[in-house]
Amino acid sequence: MCGALVPASIVLKRHPARPPAHTDPEDPLSRILLKAFLGLLMRVLYRPTVEGMERIPGSGPVILAGNHVTFIDSLFLALVVKRQVFFIGKDEYVTGKGLKGRLMAWFFGASGMIPVDRDGGHGGVAALMTGRRVLDEGKIFAIYPEGTRSPDGRLYRGRTGIARLALMTGAPVVPFAMVGTDKVQPSGKGLPRIAPVTVRFGEQLDFSRYEGMDRDRYVLRAVTDEVMSHVMRLSGQEYVDVYATKARASKAA
């Protein structure tokens, strides 16, 4: 449900404007109620194994960067992490009409999703600005460097938005891997299935040595590749050095 599709060539202002108020998730009470209910349901049905939770700082800005194999990755991530996790998602998830639309808007907002129009020409910039605002407020922002879900279960080349966000904010990056969520909700299937799920968190990555170099495309690529190498080791996935969007287009052709 989230990603960072920001080319290294895009130049942003050092202090971007705060996004419109309607991008904020629902109130804390809604998040607490949703997490309590779904967290209990998840523990009963899936009994997820969580490894390395202690590697996530108890306070301050943190970037969680991981693989993306199915739609429900963000939901599992938000439910296992003790702190509130924010991530971006398509604004169409919260703009529906009627009772169903209101329920979906409440659900995704309470889950920590911040809606962003990523289909427009400035979608990548909006996503980056949103992530920066969340981190500037000392919160956790989750991102999938691949930019979209894997078309075949393999791990694809990361987009450099993750690197730019880390260098602009100075926030530590904690890589993570979702293992088994593709069995819970296989591509093209409807209702989730019961299957074991493991969420692994790796050691914090500090890129402060590259401070002030967030516009150097070689540095951005090096940082992104380092993050993806940690995600690969955590997930055990085969790595493919092409973008997932290109692989998906070739598969559909």
Side-chain angles (χ1 to χ4, degrees):
M1 283 192 280
C2 66
L5 310 177
V6 185
S9 60
I10 291 179
V11 177
L12 297 180
K13 294 180 179 180
R14 305 300 296 182
H15 298 285
R18 182 184 179 92
H22 73 271
T23 63
D24 288 332
E26 292 291 336
D27 62 272
L29 180 59
S30 294
R31 295 199 297 269
I32 291 172
L33 292 176
L34 183 68
K35 190 166 185 175
F37 173 73
L38 287 185
L40 176 61
L41 186 64
M42 179 190 69
R43 287 191 294 271
V44 171
L45 294 179
Y46 298 101
R47 299 182 180 180
T49 300
V50 182
E51 302 174 3
M53 179 70 74
E54 70 280 359
R55 292 166 174 163
I56 300 177
S59 61
V62 183
I63 301 172
L64 299 181
N67 60 333
H68 198 12
V69 292
T70 187
F71 178 82
I72 62 174
D73 289 335
S74 295
L75 182 58
F76 269 93
L77 183 66
L79 291 174
V80 301
V81 176
K82 296 177 182 179
R83 294 176 60 189
Q84 176 69 29
V85 176
F86 295 91
F87 54 92
I88 63 170
K90 294 182 179 180
D91 60 354
E92 64 190 55
Y93 295 145
V94 298
T95 55
K97 305 298 182 181
L99 179 59
K100 180 180 178 181
R102 290 195 295 272
L103 288 174
M104 287 184 64
W106 175 84
F107 175 81
F108 285 112
S111 298
M113 191 195 88
I114 302 174
V116 172
D117 180 7
R118 294 186 295 153
D119 294 328
H122 300 288
V125 177
L128 190 60
M129 290 173 62
T130 300
R132 182 172 184 177
R133 174 174 65 84
V134 170
L135 294 168
D136 284 346
E137 293 175 353
K139 300 173 183 177
I140 296 180
F141 186 70
I143 189 172
Y144 300 111
E146 292 169 280
T148 187
R149 294 191 294 274
S150 171
D152 54 17
R154 296 185 292 178
L155 185 68
Y156 284 83
R157 195 177 200 222
R159 301 278 183 171
T160 57
I162 170 63
R164 173 158 286 193
L165 192 60
L167 299 190
M168 285 194 308
T169 64
V173 177
V174 175
F176 72 89
M178 310 298 296
V179 181
T181 52
D182 56 330
K183 303 296 190 301
V184 174
Q185 191 174 44
S187 179
K189 301 298 181 181
L191 295 175
R193 302 174 179 178
I194 304 298
V197 171
T198 298
V199 185
R200 296 192 183 106
F201 297 98
E203 296 287 350
Q204 285 186 48
L205 304 178
D206 178 11
F207 297 108
S208 59
R209 62 190 182 277
Y210 297 121
E211 183 180 0
M213 303 176 70
D214 57 279
R215 296 178 185 175
D216 186 316
R217 63 190 181 96
Y218 296 106
V219 169
L220 295 177
R221 173 46 55 192
V223 170
T224 302
D225 288 347
E226 182 175 340
V227 171
M228 297 308 290
S229 70
H230 283 268
V231 174
M232 180 183 66
R233 286 195 289 270
L234 290 167
S235 69
Q237 292 170 282
E238 176 186 350
Y239 180 76
V240 185
D241 195 26
V242 299
Y243 292 122
T245 49
K246 183 177 181 179
R248 188 182 298 277
S250 299
K251 187 176 180 181

